[in-house]
């Protein structure tokens, strides 16, 4: 027969050895109540943990796309505001030209208003948002449009072309001698340097923007253009109309020649405003697509969240029951340890 010694120290340590595991399980249960998901997802799900990881990666991709669409929407909104300003200025100027003949309106007013409008057009085309120029196409870090000032490439071409055609400068008093037919020929001759200035490749004297617009990935399967650029036909026509009215010497010309200039400006402005509407419609369509993509991805996120929840979420009631049970066991362990520590043979001698 074999006997085993039972010591008081052994009895004391028995509840304490189990206490460590109870405390660990209690911390785990409290964490699950706080987070709503398993404390150790991999341990709980086993081979299904990979499915949860895939769902979370897909959720992260959707979050990144929606965040990116916020930047896209901001750029589209600021661009739309600039286009509204450009079109409003052009329409106001066009209406002023249609309302009164040159002599009643004042050729100086026609010239000065056009000069101001050209500066305003340049300012709008050089607007930026988030450190990127809105009308630069993909060349977002480069200021797209050069100012039209003395010595600038575009101004130099205009001055040279005018002198070549008429043998005088725009401010020479003898511009009064330029006939309506001569001016009409100058404005309609596509081969002269003045008209070529507003076409490729000479347009680069005005603009350093890229012809390619920014393309944005707005969903997992959709990529669209989300910008415009200063090289669009509408912008070139506006620059041409304002340049004709402001820098071809209209104030010093006879009435018939003034009328030729005004008629040409009216024609170009009419075409430009129609082109602007088309650009705005295109960007409006992009805005609609971005919003639609966000709505779809929001729905996808909800579906993914439900899938993640089914895999990883704990039952709050079950977790609370576990916490209560573990707390009770720990309290009993402490109580039992205290009672065992009071045991002594001296009490029985």
């Amino acid at each position: 027969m074999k006997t085993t010694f039972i010591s008081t120290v052994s009895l004391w340590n028995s509840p304490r050895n189990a206490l460590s595991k109870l405390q660990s399980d209690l911390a785990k249960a409290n964490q699950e109540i706080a987070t709503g998901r398993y404390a150790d997802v991999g341990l709980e799900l086993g081979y299904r943990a990979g499915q949860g990881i895939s769902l979370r990666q897909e959720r992260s991709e959707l979050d990144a796309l929606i965040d990116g669409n916020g930047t896209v929407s901001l750029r589209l909104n600021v661009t739309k505001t600039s286009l509204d300003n450009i079109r409003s200025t052009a329409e106001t100027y066009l209406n002023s030209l249609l309302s009164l003949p040159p002599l009643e309106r004042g050729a100086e007013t026609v010239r000065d208003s056009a000069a101001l409008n050209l500066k305003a057009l340049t300012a709008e085309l050089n607007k930026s948002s988030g450190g990127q120029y809105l009308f630069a196409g993909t060349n977002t870090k480069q200021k797209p449009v050069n100012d039209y000032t003395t010595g600038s490439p575009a101004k130099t071409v205009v001055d040279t072309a005018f002198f070549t055609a008429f043998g005088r400068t725009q401010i020479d008093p003898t511009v009064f001698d330029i006939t309506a037919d001569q001016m009409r020929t100058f404005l309609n001759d596509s081969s002269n340097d003045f008209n070529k200035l507003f076409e490729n490749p000479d347009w680069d004297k005005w603009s350093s923007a890229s012809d390619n617009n920014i393309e944005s990935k707005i969903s997992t399967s959709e990529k669209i253009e989300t910008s415009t650029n200063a090289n669009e036909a509408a912008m070139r026509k506006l620059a041409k109309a304002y340049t004709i009215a402001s820098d071809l010497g209209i104030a010093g010309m006879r009435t018939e020649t003034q009328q030729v200039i005004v008629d040409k400006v009216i024609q170009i402005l009419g075409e430009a405003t129609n082109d602007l509407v088309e650009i705005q419609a295109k960007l409006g369509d992009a805005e609609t697509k971005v919003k639609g993509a966000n709505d779809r991805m929001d729905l996808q996120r909800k579906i993914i969240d439900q899938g993640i929840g089914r895999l990883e979420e704990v039952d709050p009631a079950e977790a609370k029951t576990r916490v209560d049970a573990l707390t009770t066991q720990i309290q009993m362990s402490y109580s039992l340890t205290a009672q065992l520590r009071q045991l002594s043979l001296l009490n029985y001698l």
Side-chain angles (χ1 to χ4, degrees), residues 108-139:
E108 292 85 359
T109 301
V110 173
R111 177 197 62 200
D112 295 344
S113 296
L116 291 174
N117 290 348
L118 183 57
K119 289 181 180 179
L121 173 66
T122 302
E124 291 291 347
L125 293 179
N126 285 333
K127 272 190 175 179
S128 62
S129 176
Q132 296 184 333
Y133 287 102
L134 298 174
F135 292 91
T138 55
N139 194 16

Side-chain angles (χ1 to χ4, degrees), residues 33-180:
I33 288 177
T35 62
R37 64 192 295 256
Y38 294 123
D40 190 335
V41 175
L43 179 64
E44 294 291 340
L45 296 182
Y47 73 92
R48 292 191 302 159
Q51 184 180 352
I53 293 173
S54 296
L55 288 173
R56 287 190 175 277
Q57 288 176 336
E58 189 175 346
R59 176 65 152 78
S60 297
E61 183 181 1
L62 292 176
D63 288 341
L65 286 169
I66 290 175
D67 289 343
N69 283 350
T71 303
V72 170
S73 295
L74 176 61
R75 183 172 63 244
L76 286 171
N77 187 56
V78 178
T79 303
K80 184 177 68 174
T81 300
S82 289
L83 287 172
D84 284 339
N85 294 338
I86 291 171
R87 185 162 65 90
S88 175
T89 299
E91 289 176 343
T92 299
Y93 187 61
L94 176 59
N95 290 335
S96 73
L97 295 180
L98 292 171
S99 62
L100 292 171
L103 286 180
E104 294 183 34
R105 180 175 48 258
E108 292 85 359
T109 301
V110 173
R111 177 197 62 200
D112 295 344
S113 296
L116 291 174
N117 290 348
L118 183 57
K119 289 181 180 179
L121 173 66
T122 302
E124 291 291 347
L125 293 179
N126 285 333
K127 272 190 175 179
S128 62
S129 176
Q132 296 184 333
Y133 287 102
L134 298 174
F135 292 91
T138 55
N139 194 16
T140 56
K141 296 300 182 181
Q142 178 69 42
K143 183 179 177 181
V145 179
N146 298 319
D147 293 326
Y148 186 79
T149 56
T150 301
S152 66
K155 169 67 172 168
T156 300
V157 171
V158 171
D159 290 347
T160 302
F162 190 91
F163 190 85
T164 299
F166 302 112
R168 69 207 79 189
T169 66
Q170 299 95 306
I171 59 174
D172 193 313
T174 61
V175 295
F176 185 82
D177 298 330
I178 298 174
T179 66

Side-chain angles (χ1 to χ4, degrees), residues 268-329:
I268 297 173
L269 286 178
E271 295 172 359
T273 52
N274 289 335
D275 292 342
L276 282 172
V277 170
E278 292 181 8
I279 295 173
Q280 289 179 299
K282 181 180 176 182
L283 294 182
D285 182 56
E287 276 189 310
T288 301
K289 288 181 178 178
V290 170
K291 183 179 182 306
N294 282 343
D295 290 343
R296 291 193 300 275
M297 288 189 292
D298 277 335
L299 181 59
Q300 286 178 282
R301 288 198 301 185
K302 290 177 182 177
I303 295 172
I304 289 173
D305 287 343
Q306 291 172 359
I308 293 173
R310 284 192 293 269
L311 284 171
E312 300 180 359
E313 286 181 1
V314 299
D315 182 352
E318 187 273 335
K320 180 65 169 62
T321 301
R322 254 190 305 135
V323 168
D324 293 341
L326 289 168
T327 302
T328 300
Q329 290 180 47

Side-chain angles (χ1 to χ4, degrees), residues 153-257:
K155 169 67 172 168
T156 300
V157 171
V158 171
D159 290 347
T160 302
F162 190 91
F163 190 85
T164 299
F166 302 112
R168 69 207 79 189
T169 66
Q170 299 95 306
I171 59 174
D172 193 313
T174 61
V175 295
F176 185 82
D177 298 330
I178 298 174
T179 66
D181 288 339
Q182 288 175 319
M183 180 54 67
R184 187 176 295 108
T185 298
F186 176 76
L187 294 177
N188 293 331
D189 182 6
S190 59
S191 65
N192 67 34
D193 289 342
F194 176 80
N195 286 300
K196 288 194 292 186
L197 177 63
F198 303 94
E199 303 292 339
N200 290 327
D202 290 359
W203 177 247
D204 63 4
K205 292 180 174 61
W206 282 93
S207 170
S208 57
S210 169
D211 290 335
N212 299 317
N213 294 323
I214 295 173
E215 288 190 344
S216 303
K217 187 177 182 181
I218 62 171
S219 72
T220 55
S221 60
E222 195 172 6
K223 193 173 185 179
I224 62 171
E225 284 191 359
T226 55
S227 75
T228 185
N229 63 77
N231 300 338
E232 294 281 359
M235 312 310 175
R236 287 184 279 138
K237 289 175 182 178
L238 288 174
K240 185 175 185 177
Y242 295 146
T243 302
I244 290 172
S246 66
D247 202 24
L248 292 189
I250 187 174
M253 293 179 175
R254 63 185 68 189
T255 303
E256 295 81 2
T257 308

